[in-house]
Amino acid sequence: MSELVPGGNMPLPGGAVTVRVPGPFDVSALITDDGGTVGSDADFVFYNQPSAPGARLDGDTLTVDPRRLRPGATRVTVVVSPADPATSLDRLPSPTLQVSAAGGRDLARFAPPRPQQETVLLLVEIYRRGGAWKLRALGQGYADGLAGLARDFGVDVVDDAAVAAPHAHLPGAQPARAPASPAPPAPTGRPVVVPTPTLVDLHPSGPAPAADPDGFLTLVNSVRAGAGVPPVFLDTRLVSAARAHASAMAAAGRLGVEGADGVSVYQRLTATGYAYLTVGEHLVSGPRTPADFIDYCLGDEQASRTLCDPAYTHAGLAHVGDGRRGDLYWTALWARPFTPGDLARTAAEVVDLTNRERARAGLPPLTADAVLTTAAQAHSADMVARAFYAHTSPDGSEPWDRAAAAGARRRSIGENIACGQRSPAEVVEGWMNSPGHRANILKPDFTHIGIGLAGGGAAGTYWTQLFGA
């Protein structure tokens, strides 16, 4: 039996395989094509819609027969979420996935890094490569709930809770859609299929937007409107993380990304269950009111850019007095939630910027490679999960080892890593300003590339660029 690690893959035998995740979890599956989207809502398999061609869910066990999947299906992504939607994964035992062949023969086991406060965990994908089927371990946390995940895969989701409480779902993350027909009650708060055959109804699992007693949101969005950028929405998780960090700074009597407790502002945000794609922060002492705080930000070029950055969709603000001199320490957080779609678009932008640099040097473009992408993403996630920053993992694996474990068969491998940058443009510029990283980007022999990025570590976002020839 194989013990899988994030990014690792293995061939599957012919016929059906079963995937089981015991414990207080709901198992779900999304059946997609090469583009990563479902063909219809019938491709979403969960306990209230437990079967589709080639896939059947029975309690904690999913059976997949790749030969019987619908025409055009090339991938089955298996996910878990808490059976109680009010519970985050970090409050439950770590999920362990077991894979078996027909007849019960054990094939593999996958115990991903322990989730934090994510609400959904992408465990594995069963995918077709050429004429063969394989299984790849993922272990990717997702904070926007099962509804957000389903939407990102192309499932048409309505939120009947939003009819009674329009702001129950975070408007900046995934806008709720009004149901085409009244949805039946869902006493458990878990997904149900509504009478309209093309709609799946899932209740949001994320917290409600934060209250704004000081008028901070009105001030911010007025400035953003004047700059021609969309508004942001207050989020209780960002407010909670901002308050915790402001308290840490006040206790230490100094400003800093890392508090005296050794925890960074980015780690405080991730600990609330908000998985971000990109994040920015303002750490300030002195202002007495939110209006003073906004004025301070507008007086600084970099701070003003952050306040008006269109990439951010959510915000949170808090201030705490130091109790000694009466100084106020402020933390403002700005973020965009992680979604698979935004992850893919961000990675594609890094590839595009990299290829522009190669074009300036008269070199051919690199081709995005799915296997290298898997290995790069796994390394970024691993650096966050195990709190290290290096080409060599704590287990001793090197870039070529990780590429091979993901299924790459390239004769030459190179890797660039970075941490703390907030955008594709910033990270590529940083690499190009470093001779060693620049040499990898402009190496004529390289033909393929994979990009990974993960947020939540001590330095914010961790980036990986994996090259192959």
Side-chain angles (χ1 to χ4, degrees), residues 54-342:
R56 184 181 73 256
L57 181 64
D58 183 10
D60 61 8
T61 302
L62 176 74
T63 302
V64 178
D65 189 342
R67 301 167 303 178
R68 300 182 183 277
L69 294 173
R70 65 164 174 82
T74 59
R75 185 177 307 170
V76 179
T77 303
V78 181
V79 306
V80 293
S81 55
D84 177 0
T87 301
S88 55
L89 287 169
D90 69 321
R91 297 182 181 179
L92 300 175
S94 295
T96 299
L97 177 138
Q98 302 162 359
V99 185
S100 303
R105 178 170 60 92
D106 291 336
L107 295 175
R109 178 180 177 274
F110 177 47
R114 182 173 180 81
Q116 297 189 32
Q117 292 187 1
E118 292 92 344
T119 53
V120 178
L121 189 65
L122 284 69
L123 280 178
V124 296
E125 61 181 7
I126 297 169
Y127 66 101
R128 187 172 67 198
R129 178 60 53 82
W133 286 85
K134 296 184 175 184
L135 181 141
R136 177 184 294 122
L138 300 175
Q140 175 66 59
Y142 189 94
D144 204 25
L146 197 56
L149 176 71
R151 286 188 182 98
D152 286 327
F153 276 80
V155 178
D156 194 2
V157 174
V158 293
D159 175 12
D160 67 345
V163 178
H167 299 293
H169 192 82
L170 299 174
Q174 296 289 346
R177 306 180 191 177
S181 59
T188 64
R190 300 194 304 176
V192 295
V193 176
V194 300
T196 308
T198 60
L199 297 178
V200 175
D201 178 47
L202 300 101
H203 289 275
S205 58
D212 185 27
D214 295 326
F216 170 69
L217 186 65
T218 300
L219 293 169
V220 166
N221 284 335
S222 175
V223 173
R224 288 174 67 91
V229 298
V232 292
F233 300 87
L234 286 183
D235 185 287
T236 55
R237 295 163 294 186
L238 272 69
V239 172
S240 176
R243 184 176 297 111
H245 197 70
S247 296
M249 292 192 300
R254 60 178 174 82
L255 300 174
V257 169
E258 185 177 287
D261 55 4
V263 181
S264 77
V265 66
Y266 316 113
Q267 291 168 314
R268 297 188 205 281
L269 177 55
T270 302
T272 69
Y274 190 103
Y276 62 82
L277 180 80
T278 184
V279 66
E281 76 284 339
H282 289 125
L283 309 176
V284 179
S285 66
R288 308 307 297 179
T289 68
D292 292 341
F293 176 85
I294 297 298
D295 286 343
Y296 168 83
C297 293
L298 292 177
D300 179 86
E301 182 180 357
Q302 179 59 48
S304 180
R305 280 203 302 267
T306 298
L307 191 152
C308 296
D309 192 330
Y312 299 132
T313 57
H314 294 93
L317 177 75
H319 60 84
V320 175
D322 69 0
R324 297 182 297 273
R325 294 180 299 175
D327 292 338
L328 291 182
Y329 285 81
W330 296 74
T331 299
L333 289 173
W334 315 85
R336 184 183 191 91
F338 170 90
T339 68
D342 275 345

Side-chain angles (χ1 to χ4, degrees), residues 363-381:
L363 296 169
L366 302 171
T367 300
D369 181 274
V371 174
L372 293 178
T373 296
T374 296
Q377 183 62 33
H379 188 54
S380 287

Side-chain angles (χ1 to χ4, degrees), residues 17 93 103 153 179 239 288 303 343 356 384 436 457:
V17 295
F153 276 80
V239 172
R288 308 307 297 179
L343 175 66
R356 292 185 193 181
V384 170

